[in-house]
Amino acid sequence: MTARGTRAAGSAGSAGPAGPAGDTDDLDVEEALALVREHRPLREPGDGRGSTPAGRVPAPVPTDEHRSTPWPRAREIAARAARSGARRVPVAVPLADALGLVLAAPLDALTDLPSFDTSAMDGWAVAGPGPWSVRDEGVLAGQAPSEPLTDGEAVRIATGARIPADTTAVLRSEHGRTDPKGRLYAGHEVGHGQDIRPRGQECRTGDQLLPVGTLVTPAVLGLAAAAGYDTVTVVPRPRVEVFVLGDELLTQGLPYDGLIRDALGPMLPPWLRALGGEVIALRRLGDDAEALRKAITLSDADLVVTTGGTAAGPVDHVHPILDGIGAELLVDGVTVRPGHPMLLARTKENQHLVGLPGNPLAAISGLLTLAEPLLRTLAVHPAPEPYALPLWETVQGHPHDTRLVPVAVRGDRAVPLHFNGPAMLRGIAAADALAVVPPGGARQGQETELLDLPWASAGIGVCFT
């Protein structure tokens, strides 16, 4: 069994099993930040699928089976696609807004830490050998410097308070006693410098505390604040726009007369935020092809996500629109169940579109197959380390395709959940992860790769939102 974890900060590589040599190499963060788009021109508008130069016999139209991309390869393509855009400009954000982002500049100490000699304990600051006479006043944290001590003198001091000049040690409260005359005696030997945190013990001004590519966690925020920062320079969150398609969708009430509730509108924005995106808009466009075309061409988001319309039905407009605007289709169908008719396209030099199937669990499959690697690379987040657990029971497989099956993690086992059809959410709502079931299925006890759901390891609203 492989433990859960993440790759070292700075690896923004693709996920999934390794492909051909050189396909899955990871870039460090500075390389990822510096990448400039490879100049692969988009097709000119009107370059329809199936159009051929004069005098050339058109190639046979590929079937879904031949056109579809293997699931691991689709994730690699999505991760690498985000590397081909122009460099994303780092931004300075207040500490309160930096959680879950990645440092785009080193965190260098702006001050010595601590910035003055500090008491590590409550007790007495003492000078020279004891016993000591104790001053009447004490020294508290945050106070201005007190008068220097002379040999044989002591003063009460609190943890974090500035050490008076000429102090030789701090005697802990529990190690000292006073006699009726107010003389202080040590119950233990007092070593020179004992329980004093000297200036610069943790770092000196200019020391690098954390490198480029470090994920900003609560502890990083604390360190930055201690080191004197009010803002940090980070990679901005990728901006995402979501277009929900379908005339049959209701936004409230019970289903009726062939209409159904929209499950993806409430679900996708928080899921995308958990994957590191900043959702700037969610729009419901129905089955209006012109509205969808206009929405895609006018969007300035880094990633556009559409729901439904990716197959070949009478109101499935996504493919014709992408073809009409000259988009570069990178993934057109994936050999995965559910979610087979998902797609990934480059719509502009610095914009991609992920087309999700309309069925809810199939949409989640597309989200984790294509949107997650792309967003991770754009945000320069480290790739999660693959991990596996043995299955509690046998899982049926598809003859040729990968299956993504909701599972609950119970101890060292992955328990497959029922209600895992393409249109169902009951299984995934109770799941901790998705099991990656290879073609042909997986037997009971077989170790199977798991894809964690964003909240399973970090908690809803923590770090990546």
Side-chain angles (χ1 to χ4, degrees), residues 153-174:
E153 194 175 23
V155 64
R156 263 288 188 184
I157 195 164
T159 302
R162 187 171 188 145
I163 294 290
D166 298 326
T167 297
T168 55
V170 169
L171 176 64
R172 300 185 185 191
S173 295
E174 62 269 28

Side-chain angles (χ1 to χ4, degrees), residues 307-356:
T307 71
T310 57
V315 292
D316 288 338
H317 301 307
V318 176
H319 277 99
I321 288 170
L322 292 177
D323 192 58
I325 66 174
E328 181 184 2
L329 204 56
L330 304 176
V331 173
D332 189 7
V334 178
T335 57
V336 67
R337 305 293 167 141
H340 176 268
M342 66 182 74
L343 62 85
L344 170 65
R346 182 180 290 111
T347 47
K348 299 173 186 174
E349 183 169 355
N350 292 308
Q351 183 187 80
H352 290 83
L353 181 145
V354 169
L356 303 177

Side-chain angles (χ1 to χ4, degrees), residues 18 23 150 155 227 236 288 316 369 374 380 445 450:
D23 266 355
T150 59
V155 64
D288 187 330
D316 288 338
T369 299
L374 191 140
V380 201
L450 299 187

Side-chain angles (χ1 to χ4, degrees), residues 124-139:
W124 295 269
V126 300
W132 302 272
S133 61
V134 181
R135 287 182 184 173
D136 292 335
E137 79 280 3
V139 183

Side-chain angles (χ1 to χ4, degrees), residues 411-431:
D412 62 351
R413 296 272 171 157
V415 181
L417 299 172
H418 300 294
F419 307 105
N420 55 28
M424 297 180 178
L425 287 171
R426 188 171 167 183
I428 193 70

